[in-house]
Amino acid sequence: MVGLMLAVLAVSNALMAFLGGQLADRFGNLIVLRTGLAFIFAGLFFLGMATPETSTLSLAGRLALTGMGLGLFSAPNLNEILYGVQPQLMGLAASTSAVMKNLGALLGVIVLVAALGWEAKEHVTLISAANFSAAHFQRAFGLAATLGGLNFLVSLLPRKSSNQ
């Protein structure tokens, strides 16, 4: 069941990534990038509001919203990163972006696990038998939503873009 729920996130991300690239070419990077960040924030916020009574379909919708945001964000973000990079350094810039993205995802998981287990009385590991309550999950996704909201607000600051 968890795998299927995560598949919702991945599929919505993949579908929207294609559309995000097309929209960025048509309307500019910043508007699509900011829209993606807003979707990510909303998805994380609503995941943080989930309770044990929240339906599987509702959780899938919240994960889909987050995945759609990630998909919308990806193409214009990479375009902004590569803007102004000399052609002979394009491969290095793209690979550096991929490494940073993966390190960011790993750091995000670490921070969320730390937030999830903050009040756990025992050492939390992948094979831990710690029982987490809805409050633990709400706190972890609340932290993720807060960071996502801050990221969205920073993206609203005026800046020069390759494609407004």
Side-chain angles (χ1 to χ4, degrees), residues 44-139:
L44 292 173
F45 177 80
F46 291 126
L47 280 167
M49 302 305 289
T51 66
E53 293 78 32
T54 303
S55 71
T56 302
L57 185 60
S58 178
L59 287 173
R62 296 165 197 215
L63 287 168
L65 185 60
T66 306
M68 289 167 44
L70 291 168
L72 282 176
F73 176 82
S74 296
N77 184 55
L78 185 58
N79 197 12
E80 286 294 312
I81 290 169
L82 297 179
Y83 173 68
V85 173
Q86 298 172 4
Q88 66 269 22
L89 298 175
M90 205 60 84
L92 178 62
S95 63
T96 301
S97 173
V99 168
M100 296 307 289
K101 179 177 159 184
N102 289 322
L103 285 174
L106 179 61
L107 181 60
V109 169
I110 291 168
V111 168
L112 286 179
V113 169
L116 184 66
W118 185 259
E119 292 177 7
K121 302 296 183 207
E122 59 189 82
H123 182 72
V124 178
T125 67
L126 289 177
I127 57 172
S128 173
N131 291 321
F132 296 114
S133 68
H136 289 97
F137 287 96
Q138 288 170 337
R139 183 175 43 254

